[in-house]
């Protein structure tokens, strides 16, 4: 997950949405803070984790 500082507060963005929404992130001037690998985090755009692991 990528953590971005936005005008509406900090937002976690998954790897997939980070690539798909790169233009929007740049346009809104979201500032990247850091990455964190944690399956409990959910993307603020799609609501999913970075990866879904099958049991």
């Amino acid at each position: 997950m990528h953590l971005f500082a936005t005008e509406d507060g900090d937002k976690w963005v998954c790897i997939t949405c980070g690539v798909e929404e790169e233009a929007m992130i740049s346009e809104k001037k979201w500032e990247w803070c850091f990455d964190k690998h944690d399956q409990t985090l959910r993307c603020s755009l799609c609501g999913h984790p970075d990866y879904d692991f099958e049991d």
Side-chain angles (χ1 to χ4, degrees):
M1 282 290 173
H2 310 298
L3 181 66
F4 287 95
T6 75
E7 64 278 356
D8 298 325
D10 294 347
K11 294 187 180 199
W12 289 105
V13 178
C14 71
I15 293 169
T16 304
C17 287
V19 172
E20 292 175 356
E21 301 295 335
E22 185 176 1
M24 181 272 299
I25 291 169
S26 294
E27 181 181 304
K28 291 188 175 188
K29 295 183 170 91
W30 288 8
E31 184 179 336
W32 174 83
C33 297
F34 62 88
D35 292 338
K36 185 172 184 177
H37 303 288
D38 185 342
Q39 284 304 108
T40 61
L41 297 173
R42 297 293 181 253
C43 178
S44 63
L45 301 176
C46 70
H48 294 101
D50 270 335
Y51 303 103
D52 285 324
F53 294 102
E54 293 184 24
D55 291 336

